[in-house]
């Protein structure tokens, strides 16, 4: 059977290539019983739009990032909290933990969808057209962020002025000075050519935006037990690879940005930033559902 | 809404505070405006259709056909209400990012719009039946025919033939169903938006379970308007309307007349020049057609110009602004290519082709004017008069300076610029005291109606193109193309041909969203410059904006002048001929597009 996968990313990016790899291997191992047609680039709508089609079982599989998932399951704010993951290794531990996955799966089925797995992006930092070298330079800086209350809240606590713009509008907004900079993945700075205009990167490494791959309940039910196992196994494989790729890509594009575009990277003492967002954790702990998820993650990370 | 978008700019600069709520507010306000105004347009019967067949029939048969169309629209209203109701139930848990409003609540506008449509059609059915031409038995017969057709389709969907077609030849089958259904409704004179919606519904039914079709269709119609970029549309229509009603744009036209007066058919030449001038202000062919055309039309009627040609000249030259920067279309293209072609390079590349498009209209207008024996304006005018015209046009020109300067200088984005344009024209209109409170209300209502017609159409075409993608139709087309030839120019010409055909049925932005990702990798691998290709795409699809049956700029030009679409076809033909020559020049000589950006080292 031919199933439909919807994404809003480009086919030749890392996530796009991983998804094709997944689709090819599943097709091969199920001997053509399960095949996929991937609709890249948002041709079936943006994330929240095709997510509704997935809930209805019209589209079978889709890519949705943790910020968009906040809109569906408020408890997901937790995954977008700054400095929840302090290293890529910690991130891998949490995402591959069975307890954590069970908690996610339970929340999902209430909202008429299921999780297939995740694809990791790199850590997000702050880049700007102006020199930014430390926390003080962030004050009153107009920064683009994604449409998520958690991200907005975070930037306000850093002392910056958040502005929500679509990714597509960002290049010209930076060029024209509508915003002074943005927060986002380090690899993207070179990849999306922001390095033409933003020459200063402050390595705040505040969050790791995760792309979840979700499927309809109808898709899950239509698979035979054997095929479901194959699908899950193959997805676990690309999930694990995605972290490695993200790290490699970050290094590669960081070097390219330095060598080819003359971008300057600055390390920063993260302690004041971590301190600044502490109230966000205190607030989250007051919500029983969020507290439950947070405590589970902290337990895995062995921190309090 | 004007207030909100101005607030976004003001708050960003004066208070240095985030204006995030405005973004989300405007995004959904636009959808509500589009669907509510769209519903209202059914009440006053303003939706566009192609009345070819209805005009040929006898009064009684025409009444029967009208019965059919009213019934068809009524059923759509029911479907749309159901979709809205289902979405209300389904999507209450999903919240918007900033306001945390349930998405289902926002989507309930479909329920309201659907009910308005149902009521409006009940009223028109009643009027048709009491009008004496149609009888109650006609209504029953029509309903019976529709029911029978539906039963036949239902029976066919259970046969082996149907099953074979869907599993083995879905792309071709879907293509036939989609365009077949659309053409049938078009010929029957149904509202175009309704025809698009039904074509999408039938195609969707090939793949989607019966109980999922309505909410899926409803949601894709709703999403069809979910683009911040469309905001510029009502704003520039409003600004244009204020400018024309208060006599401000008239002064801009005076300037254009000064430039075009020496040529036979000077008013047409002025219209083209006006559209090009306006193009430096907006990236919307629709706004241009309404602002400039809205002023030229009454003058042309007074001076006895041939009105269908006047509307055709206005329609054909209005899309110039989509190539002359700033241009939303070029921005969208740059976005789709992931920055493969930079916005600023595209902007510089757009100047010459945009002017060429206008000049093509000027040449054909000149020929048509000579044929009709129109004379150039007599006599010269004094230097004082020239200065006076320029002086009077200055406030309007200043708007261009403020909006363009503001966008280029980074004070606001192009879309915010449209809000600023409204604000500026409001202030000017107040200063000149040329508008009464009553006139203001009329302008707002008129803007809502004109936007409603177009936005509702965009929404329905959004649904149709979603269905196309869902049925792999664009892929089929892409594969056919690359299988045909490996030669760069041949492939480009083929693409132009495909886009011309696509442009006949589809609006620019959905067409660009669907076909750029298919064609872009093909042509870049053959060595075509991404900027050059962007100009070709936008130029070609611009022509599609003026071709019936689906041509938004054409619709605006027609609704402004009150001409019928069918009467415009003849004067449009010679104009298209010259514009096609321009297009071929652009395809064969990349330097036309690329010289300017190269000059600036882009
Ligand atoms: Na323009
Ligand atoms: Na068209």
């Amino acid at each position: 059977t031919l199933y439909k996968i919807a994404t809003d990313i480009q086919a030749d990016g890392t996530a796009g290539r991983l998804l094709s790899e997944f689709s090819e291997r599943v097709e091969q191992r199920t001997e053509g019983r399960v095949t996929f047609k991937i609709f890249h680039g948002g041709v079936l709508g943006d994330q929240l739009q095709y997510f509704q089609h997935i809930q209805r079982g019209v589209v079978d599989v889709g890519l949705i990032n943790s910020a968009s998932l906040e809109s569906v399951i408020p408890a997901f704010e937790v995954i977008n909290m700054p400095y929840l993951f302090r290293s890529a290794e910690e991130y891998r531990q949490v995402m591959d933990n069975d307890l954590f996955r069970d908690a996610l799966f339970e929340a999902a089925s209430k909202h008429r969808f299921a999780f297939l797995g995740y694809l990791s992006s790199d850590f997000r930092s702050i880049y700007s057209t102006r020199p930014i070298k430390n926390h003080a330079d962030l004050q009153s800086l107009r920064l683009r962020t994604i449409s998520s209350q958690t991200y907005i809240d975070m930037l306000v606590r850093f002392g910056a002025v958040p502005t929500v713009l679509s990714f597509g509008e960002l290049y010209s907004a930076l060029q024209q000075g509508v915003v002074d900079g943005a927060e986002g993945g380090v690899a993207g700075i070179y990849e999306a050519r922001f390095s033409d205009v933003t020459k200063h990167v402050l390595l705040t490494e505040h969050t790791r935006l995760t792309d979840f791959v979700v499927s309809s309940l109808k898709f899950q039910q239509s698979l035979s037990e054997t095929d479901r196992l194959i699908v899950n196994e193959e997805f676990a494989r690309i999930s694990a690879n995605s972290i490695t790729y993200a790290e490699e890509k970050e290094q590669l594009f960081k070097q390219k940005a330095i060598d080819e575009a003359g971008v300057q990277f600055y390390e920063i003492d993260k302690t004041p930033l971590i301190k600044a967002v502490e109230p966000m954790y205190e607030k989250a702990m007051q919500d029983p559902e969020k507290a439950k998820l947070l405590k589970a993650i902290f337990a895995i990370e062995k921190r309090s | 809404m004007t207030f909100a978008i101005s607030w976004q700019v003001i708050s960003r600069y004066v208070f240095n505070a985030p204006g995030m709520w405005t973004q989300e507010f405007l995004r959904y306000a636009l959808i509500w405006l589009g669907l509510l105004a769209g519903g209202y347009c059914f009440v006053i019967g303003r939706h566009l259709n192609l009345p070819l067949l209805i005009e040929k029939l006898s009064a009684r048969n025409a009444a029967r056909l009208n019965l059919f169309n009213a019934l068809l629209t009524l059923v759509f209203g029911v479907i749309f209400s159901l979709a809205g109701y289902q979405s209300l139930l389904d999507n209450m848990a999903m919240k918007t990012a900033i306001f945390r409003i349930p998405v289902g609540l926002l989507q309930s506008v479909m329920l309201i719009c659907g009910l308005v449509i149902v009521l409006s059609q009940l009223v028109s059915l009643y009027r048709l039946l009491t009008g004496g031409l149609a009888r109650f038995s006609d209504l029953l017969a029509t309903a019976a025919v529709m029911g029978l057709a539906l039963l036949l389709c239902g029976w066919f969907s259970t046969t082996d033939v149907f099953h074979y077609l869907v599993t083995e030849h879905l792309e071709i089958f879907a293509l036939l169903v989609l365009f077949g259904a659309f053409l049938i409704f078009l010929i029957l004179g149904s509202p175009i938006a309704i025809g698009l919606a039904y074509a999408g519904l039938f195609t969707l039914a090939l793949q989607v379970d019966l109980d999922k079709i309505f909410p899926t269709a409803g949601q894709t119609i709703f999403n069809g308007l979910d683009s911040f970029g469309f905001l510029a549309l009502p704003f520039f229509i409003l600004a244009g309307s204020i400018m024309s009603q208060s006599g401000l744009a008239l002064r801009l036209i005076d300037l254009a007349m000064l430039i075009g007066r020496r040529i036979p058919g000077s008013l047409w030449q002025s219209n083209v020049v006006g559209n090009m001038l306006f193009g430096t202000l907006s990236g919307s062919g629709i706004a241009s057609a309404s602002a400039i055309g809205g002023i030229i039309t009454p003058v042309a009627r007074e001076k006895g110009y041939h009105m269908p040609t006047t509307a055709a000249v206005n329609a054909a030259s209005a899309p110039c602004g989509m190539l002359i920067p700033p241009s939303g279309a070029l921005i969208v293209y740059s976005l789709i290519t992931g920055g493969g072609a930079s916005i600023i390079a595209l902007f510089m590349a757009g100047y010459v082709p945009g002017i060429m498009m206008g000049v093509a209209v000027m040449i054909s207008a000149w020929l048509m004017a000579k044929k009709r024996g129109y004379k150039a304006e007599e006599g010269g005018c004094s230097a004082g008069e020239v200065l006076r015209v320029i002086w009077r046009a200055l406030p309007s020109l200043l708007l261009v300076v403020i909006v363009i300067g503001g966008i280029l200088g980074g004070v606001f984005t192009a879309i915010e610029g449209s809000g600023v344009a409204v604000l500026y024209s409001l202030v000017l209109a107040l200063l000149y005291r040329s508008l009464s409170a009553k006139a203001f209300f009329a302008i707002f209502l008129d803007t809502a109606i004109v936007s409603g017609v177009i936005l509702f159409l965009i929404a329905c075409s959004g649904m149709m193109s979603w269905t196309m993608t869902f049925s792999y139709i664009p892929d089929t087309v892409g594969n056919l193309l690359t299988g045909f030839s490996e030669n760069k120019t041949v492939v480009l010409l083929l693409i132009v041909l495909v886009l011309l055909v696509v442009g006949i049925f589809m609006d620019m932005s959905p067409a660009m969203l669907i076909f750029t990702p298919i064609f872009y990798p093909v042509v870049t691998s053959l060595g075509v410059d991404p900027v050059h290709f962007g100009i070709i795409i936008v130029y070609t699809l611009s022509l599609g904006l003026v071709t019936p049956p689906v041509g938004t700029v054409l619709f605006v030009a027609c609704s402004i002048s009150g001409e019928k679409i069918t009467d415009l076809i003849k004067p449009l033909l010679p104009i298209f001929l010259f514009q096609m020559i321009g297009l071929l020049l652009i395809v064969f000589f990349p330097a036309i597009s690329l010289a300017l950006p190269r000059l600036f080292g882009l």
Side-chain angles (χ1 to χ4, degrees):
Chain A
T1 322
L2 183 61
Y3 295 100
K4 294 185 171 79
I5 303 182
T7 82
D8 65 344
I9 53 168
Q10 297 306 318
D12 51 4
T14 315
R17 284 203 305 270
L18 284 170
L19 280 177
S20 334
E21 190 185 312
F22 161 78
S23 144
E24 278 160 26
R25 289 186 61 103
V26 168
E27 183 170 345
Q28 203 179 17
R29 284 187 61 194
T30 60
E31 286 151 353
R33 287 189 304 277
V34 179
T35 54
F36 294 102
K37 157 83 189 160
I38 311 181
F39 293 88
H40 280 303
V43 290
L44 288 185
D46 67 26
Q47 295 194 346
L48 284 179
Q49 291 172 358
Y50 58 68
F51 183 74
Q52 292 170 47
H53 296 306
I54 292 172
Q55 284 180 308
R56 239 174 240 129
V58 171
V59 173
D60 304 291
V61 177
L63 185 98
I64 179 165
N65 67 40
S66 45
S68 303
L69 265 185
E70 268 188 25
S71 297
V72 189
I73 309 174
F76 264 74
E77 271 176 37
V78 164
I79 304 178
N80 297 321
M81 303 260 283
Y83 300 110
L84 180 70
F85 308 109
R86 293 164 301 184
S87 66
E89 196 39 49
E90 215 167 64
Y91 176 81
R92 188 196 293 269
Q93 277 172 7
V94 172
M95 297 305 284
D96 290 343
N97 186 284
D98 283 338
L99 281 175
F100 175 74
R101 291 173 74 98
D102 288 346
L104 290 189
F105 282 40
E106 195 193 311
S109 63
K110 274 187 231 158
H111 290 91
R112 298 176 292 140
F113 72 99
F115 280 102
L116 268 189
Y118 68 93
L119 297 174
S120 174
S121 313
D122 50 352
F123 271 115
R124 293 171 80 86
S125 287
I126 291 173
Y127 44 93
S128 173
T129 50
R130 302 184 184 180
I132 39 169
K133 292 180 181 166
N134 51 44
H135 188 191
D137 291 338
L138 292 182
Q139 304 313 304
S140 306
L141 208 64
R142 282 171 306 177
L143 296 178
R144 177 264 174 182
T145 187
I146 48 181
S147 165
S148 144
Q149 197 60 54
T150 315
Y151 275 80
I152 291 164
D153 207 14
M154 173 191 76
L155 284 184
V156 170
R157 287 177 194 282
F158 284 176
V161 181
T163 301
V164 176
L165 285 173
S166 72
F167 190 72
E169 281 178 293
L170 181 52
Y171 188 94
S172 58
L174 284 167
Q175 207 173 30
Q176 297 171 357
V178 175
V179 292
D180 303 316
E183 62 83 36
V186 167
I189 300 172
Y190 180 82
E191 211 178 16
R193 314 267 171 111
F194 299 141
S195 49
D196 297 350
V197 267
T198 59
K199 301 292 185 190
H200 308 275
V201 183
L202 193 60
L203 289 167
T204 51
E205 302 186 323
H206 45 268
T207 57
R208 220 178 156 94
L209 192 68
T210 302
D211 287 323
F212 285 101
V213 177
V214 300
S215 78
S216 67
L217 297 177
K218 186 180 156 195
F219 169 74
Q220 297 282 346
Q221 285 152 10
S222 72
L223 294 179
S224 69
E225 198 52 43
T226 342
D227 291 347
R228 184 168 30 229
L229 271 176
I230 293 174
V231 166
N232 287 341
E233 257 176 50
E234 286 304 327
F235 213 95
R237 172 208 289 276
I238 65 161
S239 287
N241 284 348
S242 73
I243 298 182
T244 321
Y245 284 152
E247 297 295 304
E248 281 172 10
K249 192 171 134 193
E250 181 180 340
Q251 287 311 314
L252 176 73
F253 282 121
K254 193 174 159 187
Q255 204 53 51
K256 281 197 170 184
I258 294 170
D259 296 343
E260 291 172 27
V263 175
Q264 307 239 15
F265 286 82
Y266 305 99
E267 301 283 344
I268 183 177
D269 173 21
K270 291 171 192 158
T271 330
L273 295 177
I274 293 175
K275 229 179 162 49
V277 298
E278 255 168 24
M280 292 175 72
Y281 282 89
E282 283 158 22
K283 201 175 149 215
M285 280 298 186
Q286 282 162 17
D287 179 308
E289 271 191 68
K290 291 177 194 166
K292 203 169 118 193
L293 261 177
L294 261 183
K295 280 174 189 159
I297 295 172
F298 282 173
I300 302 163
E301 293 177 348
K302 300 187 182 66
R303 79 191 228 199
S304 54
Chain B
M1 281 167 83
T2 315
F3 173 72
I5 203 159
S6 314
W7 178 257
Q8 180 164 326
V9 179
I10 293 166
S11 67
R12 186 181 297 152
Y13 287 93
V14 182
F15 306 108
N16 202 15
M20 278 149 327
W21 65 270
T22 50
Q23 193 106 2
E24 193 170 292
F25 168 77
L26 287 168
R27 177 177 166 189
Y28 291 107
L30 177 79
I31 303 179
W32 276 65
L33 169 77
L35 292 184
L36 290 181
Y40 178 69
C41 291
F42 279 104
V43 176
I44 54 173
R46 279 286 289 267
H47 279 287
L48 296 152
N49 67 344
L50 206 67
L52 277 176
L53 187 62
I54 294 180
E55 279 172 3
K56 295 236 165 21
L57 291 175
S58 67
R60 182 158 155 71
N61 281 333
R64 283 177 173 157
L65 198 54
N66 283 332
L67 264 185
F68 168 80
N69 283 325
L71 213 54
L72 192 76
T73 310
L74 180 94
V75 174
F76 174 78
V78 174
I79 292 175
F80 205 46
S81 323
L82 287 176
Y85 179 66
Q86 191 64 41
S87 303
L88 185 64
L89 296 182
D90 283 352
N91 295 328
M92 284 309 278
M94 186 182 281
K95 306 268 200 322
T96 64
I98 311 294
F99 286 126
R100 302 269 157 180
I101 298 172
V103 173
L105 204 61
L106 291 168
Q107 291 177 338
S108 68
V109 67
M110 294 190 278
L111 179 61
I112 305 173
C113 174
L115 289 177
V116 170
I117 294 175
V118 170
L119 284 177
S120 71
Q121 297 311 303
L122 282 177
V123 170
S124 47
L125 279 178
Y126 176 77
R127 284 206 186 122
L128 277 168
L129 290 174
T130 51
L133 282 168
R135 293 189 201 125
F136 192 68
S137 57
D138 293 329
L139 179 66
L140 287 182
T142 313
V145 167
M146 285 168 72
L148 202 66
L150 207 61
L151 273 179
L152 263 173
C153 291
W155 166 79
F156 181 60
S157 71
T158 59
T159 58
D160 288 343
V161 179
F162 178 85
H163 189 72
Y164 168 77
L165 285 173
V166 167
T167 47
E168 302 297 324
H169 298 286
L170 180 67
E171 304 94 297
I172 301 294
F173 189 35
L175 195 80
L176 285 176
V177 170
L178 188 89
F179 289 109
F182 179 64
L183 277 176
I184 289 172
F185 289 123
L186 195 71
I187 292 166
L188 291 178
S190 318
I192 292 170
I194 299 293
L196 286 172
Y198 274 105
L201 273 170
F202 287 140
T203 315
L204 212 52
L206 300 181
Q207 288 187 79
V208 177
D209 298 337
L210 213 55
D211 59 325
K212 304 288 194 301
I213 295 175
F214 295 171
T216 303
Q219 194 206 322
T220 45
I221 290 177
F222 184 87
N223 293 342
L225 288 179
D226 192 358
S227 165
F228 199 60
F230 287 135
L231 264 181
L233 198 98
F235 280 133
F236 275 123
I237 292 178
L238 184 58
S241 187
I242 294 172
M243 295 267 284
S244 58
Q245 295 287 323
S246 62
L248 284 168
L250 196 60
R251 300 158 185 233
L252 200 64
I253 305 291
D254 284 341
L255 183 67
M257 299 257 235
L258 201 68
I259 301 169
R261 70 197 303 270
R262 291 275 177 180
I263 313 167
S266 56
L267 212 48
W268 290 342
Q269 304 297 337
S270 307
N271 194 342
V272 179
V273 175
N275 273 334
M276 290 201 281
L277 279 176
F278 198 87
T280 63
L281 171 71
S282 105
S284 159
I286 294 163
S288 192
S290 55
I292 304 298
I295 299 152
I296 293 278
T297 304
V299 185
R301 186 167 286 130
E302 198 175 299
K303 295 203 172 177
Y305 274 77
H306 182 242
M307 288 316 286
T309 311
T310 308
V313 166
N314 182 34
S317 60
C320 287
M322 314 202 89
L323 287 160
I324 298 172
S327 156
L330 291 174
I331 294 176
V332 171
Y333 173 79
S334 172
L335 301 186
I336 299 173
T337 64
S342 86
I343 291 173
I344 187 72
L346 284 165
F347 273 9
M348 297 314 289
Y351 270 112
V352 179
I355 293 169
M356 278 171 65
M357 180 184 269
V359 170
V361 184
M362 291 174 87
I363 296 172
S364 38
W366 177 68
L367 289 174
M368 287 190 285
K370 281 201 94 167
K371 203 174 135 215
R372 290 188 176 274
Y374 293 167
K375 297 220 164 42
E377 302 275 321
E378 291 291 320
C381 41
S382 65
E385 200 177 334
V386 171
L387 276 178
R388 199 182 60 85
V389 168
I390 294 177
W391 172 250
R392 277 171 52 84
L394 217 54
S396 311
L397 282 178
L398 201 60
L399 176 63
V400 181
V401 176
I402 289 175
V403 173
I404 289 285
I407 296 169
L408 290 182
V411 186
F412 37 73
T413 65
I415 296 150
E416 288 166 352
S418 65
V420 174
V422 171
L423 211 63
Y424 180 82
S425 48
L426 265 178
V427 169
L428 276 193
L430 285 177
L431 277 180
Y432 290 115
R433 295 173 194 281
S434 46
L435 284 179
S436 63
K438 207 174 151 192
F440 265 120
F441 181 74
I443 287 176
F444 280 119
L445 186 68
D446 195 53
T447 304
I449 291 170
V450 174
S451 325
V453 170
I454 297 157
L455 289 174
F456 195 74
L457 202 63
I458 289 177
C460 290
S461 76
M463 181 240 179
M464 186 178 94
S465 48
W466 190 90
T467 318
M468 276 180 70
T469 314
F470 190 73
S471 310
Y472 322 118
I473 292 175
D475 291 16
T476 320
V477 177
N479 288 338
L480 283 174
L481 198 73
T482 42
F484 200 80
S485 170
E486 291 280 305
N487 180 291
K488 186 164 124 179
T489 315
V490 174
V491 169
L492 273 183
L493 286 176
L494 268 176
I495 289 178
V496 164
L497 204 66
V498 171
L499 289 180
L500 281 174
V501 175
V502 165
I504 290 175
F505 295 100
M506 211 186 264
D507 205 20
M508 186 171 216
S509 27
M512 237 164 60
L513 278 169
I514 292 175
F515 289 96
T516 310
I518 301 169
F519 293 149
Y520 182 74
V522 178
V523 295
T524 44
S525 71
L526 293 174
V528 178
D529 188 285
V531 173
H532 180 211
F533 187 58
I535 300 296
I536 294 176
I537 286 199
V538 173
Y539 191 111
T540 314
L541 289 177
S542 291
L543 298 185
L545 292 175
V546 192
T547 53
V550 185
T552 42
V553 171
L554 181 73
F555 296 159
V556 174
C558 285
S559 66
I560 277 172
S561 70
E563 298 300 314
K564 282 190 219 123
I565 291 174
T566 36
D567 292 339
L568 258 67
I569 294 174
K570 211 178 140 209
L572 274 176
L573 287 176
I575 302 181
F576 276 138
L577 182 72
F578 283 100
Q579 287 186 327
M580 285 301 297
I581 294 173
L583 178 57
L584 290 178
L585 288 175
I586 290 168
V587 171
F588 283 112
F589 301 102
I592 294 174
S593 319
L594 298 178
L596 216 51
R598 293 272 154 80
L599 196 69
F600 286 88
L602 293 165

